[in-house]
Amino acid sequence: MNVAVDFKNVDIVFGPDTADALAMVDRGATRAEILEQTGNVLGCAGANLTIHEGEISVLMGLSGSGKSTLLRAVNRLNIVSRGQVLVKDGEKMVNVVSCDAATLRRLRQNQVAMVFQQFGLLPWRTVEENVGLGLELAGVPDAERKARVDKQLKLVNLDPWAKKYAHELSGGMQQRVGLARAFATEAPILLMDEPFSALDPLIRTKLQDELLQLQKTLKKTIIFVSHDLEEALKIGSHITIMEGGRIVQTGAPEDIVLRPANDYVRDFIANVNPLSVLTAWNVMRDRRDLESAGRGWTWLDRRKTTRFKVDKDGLVAAAERDGKPVEWVSCTDVEQHPEDGTQVYWANPGTPLKTVMLAMHRSQTAPVALFDEQSRFVGAIGVRDVLSAVLRR
Ligand SMILES: Nc1ncnc2c1ncn2[C@@H]1O[C@H](COP(=O)(O)OP(=O)(O)OP(=O)(O)O)[C@@H](O)[C@H]1O
Ligand SMILES: [Mg+2]
């Protein structure tokens, strides 16, 4: 996968004379210590983060943790004191920290678009004029601009509103216009600083869905700031958690939920429902950890009701439940196959844990076998595996 944005040892200190502050950063000083001794504000320190093309990378953390500071370094709205911020520019990577003014202008026009918390629609312009603003500023010819604006408005179902003035729209609709405008610039990298945080929860959820839907077809690289973990878990392919200007953890949503790096992260996830992020893969016991049932057979479950054999390609050659041959039933089809003592349930590693649990519930807690896309056996899930994941034990 190609890298779109790469932060390398990025320090950002706000203040007139940063040398002393940077020396303190090297000694691991906190923001409060640096402020007290040098009068400089530490924006972020030692930030290393690689963002791949097509990813939605979420920066998370409490207010003042440095999320916006790091985000704004991508298009040099903030001056980086030390380190590199590499941004993909066609086939090469450009260091935004040191590139010349013409390169920076070109990057801002063609590569990196910014979406602010308040989308900043111009009330005296119509919806289509607002969506086309970025294109207009970039000098895109009228006909092409109109076509691109039409396309974006259709994507967010706002085409009937094209001729309305921005101030005639509700807050949520304005936000959708802003979203359309950001996507219309065709910049491959989008920076979004808490774009939905001012909206009520229902509209917010809808816009998150809309963003994910747009992303499916447009596949941008999005760096998204949020202080809401539910939002981060929902939309992020990766989440980076910041505390006091420093990155404390980066990982996939389930990494954060299953393996929080410290108490700060643990506090964030304390109220998260793990079922909203976990998949079968996250809780399964690997096939190599299952107990042998002798002569090439393996027990699927700890209670030893069900055993199976695989051939040399990893495909199941035989399976028995209570000594009798079984019928395989997908976890998604449990409704159509009420439990009668002859079935074994299966799922794919990517199946949501919730689906697996529903099947277990319907089948009086039968174990579930997991198969990959090539039908090879990869592992098993029993009730205890689910409980320990959900309880994070
Ligand atoms: N332009 C600036 N000049 C001086 N200090 C700044 C500037 N921008 C940010 N800071 C400081 O840097 C620190 C990190 O701020 P930042 O805006 O990145 O936090 P944040 O995580 O985005 O918080 P929030 O959730 O409140 O938006 C804060 O202490 C802030 O006061
Ligand atoms: Mg901020």
Side-chain angles (χ1 to χ4, degrees):
M1 243 193 319
N2 287 323
V3 173
V5 177
D6 210 356
F7 296 94
K8 288 183 184 272
N9 299 312
V10 173
D11 298 319
I12 297 176
V13 175
F14 298 105
D17 179 17
T18 58
D20 290 347
L22 288 173
M24 288 187 74
V25 166
D26 290 337
R27 295 196 297 272
T30 65
R31 172 185 286 150
E33 290 163 350
I34 292 171
L35 181 63
E36 193 189 307
Q37 288 184 34
T38 71
N40 291 306
V41 176
L42 180 65
C44 72
N48 281 297
L49 179 61
T50 302
I51 296 159
H52 293 99
E53 277 185 321
E55 229 174 62
I56 302 185
S57 188
V58 179
L59 303 178
M60 259 275 312
L62 296 179
S63 185
S65 56
K67 309 179 294 290
S68 300
T69 300
L70 196 56
L71 183 80
R72 292 160 62 89
V74 177
N75 58 358
R76 214 203 280 174
L77 287 177
N78 279 341
I79 305 298
V80 169
S81 314
R82 210 166 48 176
Q84 296 187 326
V85 180
L86 305 175
V87 174
K88 187 163 193 276
D89 179 23
E91 290 311 303
K92 60 184 193 302
M93 301 297 285
V94 169
N95 183 5
V96 179
V97 176
S98 58
C99 70
D100 60 41
T103 307
L104 182 63
R105 203 173 318 121
R106 191 164 45 76
L107 281 177
R108 285 179 178 172
Q109 248 168 34
N110 306 327
Q111 299 301 120
V112 185
M114 178 109 188
V115 185
F116 296 94
Q117 177 178 5
Q118 298 302 335
F119 274 113
L121 298 185
L122 304 175
W124 60 88
R125 283 183 154 233
T126 62
V127 165
E128 62 184 3
E129 286 165 353
N130 267 292
V131 171
L133 183 64
L135 302 175
E136 205 176 304
L137 295 176
V140 174
D142 281 1
E144 186 191 339
R145 190 171 76 227
K146 186 166 177 351
R148 272 161 69 172
V149 167
D150 283 349
K151 190 177 106 194
Q152 296 303 324
L153 283 176
K154 283 206 181 76
L155 271 176
V156 293
N157 297 317
L158 278 174
D159 42 317
W161 297 78
K163 307 284 182 215
K164 293 274 185 225
Y165 285 91
H167 70 84
E168 296 177 90
L169 272 57
S170 71
M173 286 166 99
Q174 289 188 28
Q175 232 51 351
R176 271 158 68 197
V177 174
L179 208 55
R181 184 172 68 188
F183 276 91
T185 64
E186 292 189 6
I189 300 170
L190 286 187
L191 309 180
M192 308 183 85
D193 197 345
E194 309 215 27
F196 308 143
S197 62
L199 300 171
D200 70 59
L202 206 65
I203 296 175
R204 186 175 180 155
T205 307
K206 277 205 178 126
L207 279 164
Q208 292 161 352
D209 294 339
E210 206 137 357
L211 176 69
L212 289 173
Q213 202 55 43
L214 286 170
Q215 175 66 355
K216 256 191 208 156
T217 46
L218 300 175
K219 301 201 170 50
K220 306 254 183 197
T221 303
I222 300 177
I223 311 182
F224 190 106
V225 169
S226 177
H227 59 250
D228 174 5
L229 187 61
E230 293 277 353
E231 178 168 85
L233 294 172
K234 175 172 172 184
I235 67 167
S237 27
H238 280 89
I239 298 175
T240 295
I241 304 211
M242 301 189 67
E243 178 185 19
R246 290 178 164 93
I247 291 176
V248 291
Q249 187 170 9
T250 296
E254 61 269 28
D255 293 330
I256 306 280
V257 171
L258 288 174
R259 288 176 288 278
N262 63 12
D263 284 343
Y264 175 80
V265 183
R266 223 167 274 124
D267 279 349
F268 267 117
I269 63 164
N271 297 313
V272 166
N273 179 354
L275 291 186
S276 57
V277 284
L278 299 183
T279 63
W281 175 260
N282 298 134
V283 309
M284 72 164 196
R285 268 180 306 150
D286 189 275
R287 65 184 168 81
R288 285 161 299 196
D289 298 330
L290 300 178
E291 204 178 324
S292 161
R295 280 182 289 163
W297 291 84
T298 305
W299 289 115
L300 187 66
D301 53 342
R302 292 184 176 86
R303 280 178 293 174
K304 303 187 177 173
T305 62
T306 308
R307 59 177 193 162
F308 66 94
K309 247 181 190 169
V310 293
D311 65 17
K312 61 174 176 19
D313 299 319
L315 306 176
V316 171
E320 286 179 356
R321 181 171 170 189
D322 298 322
K324 294 189 286 288
V326 302
E327 179 198 359
W328 289 98
V329 175
S330 161
C331 279
T332 52
D333 294 336
V334 174
E335 300 267 13
Q336 286 83 52
H337 299 262
E339 163 77 9
D340 66 2
T342 65
Q343 296 129 339
V344 179
Y345 299 90
W346 67 273
N348 292 125
T351 305
L353 180 58
K354 213 173 182 166
T355 307
V356 172
M357 285 174 73
L358 264 166
M360 285 181 156
H361 177 64
R362 292 266 153 73
S363 65
Q364 271 97 49
T365 67
V368 171
L370 295 185
F371 296 101
D372 67 11
E373 299 301 329
Q374 284 79 44
S375 302
R376 288 174 304 219
F377 180 76
V378 289
I381 301 177
V383 177
R384 263 173 56 191
D385 304 311
V386 173
L387 290 180
S388 45
V390 172
L391 298 171
R392 303 190 187 103
R393 293 282 147 74

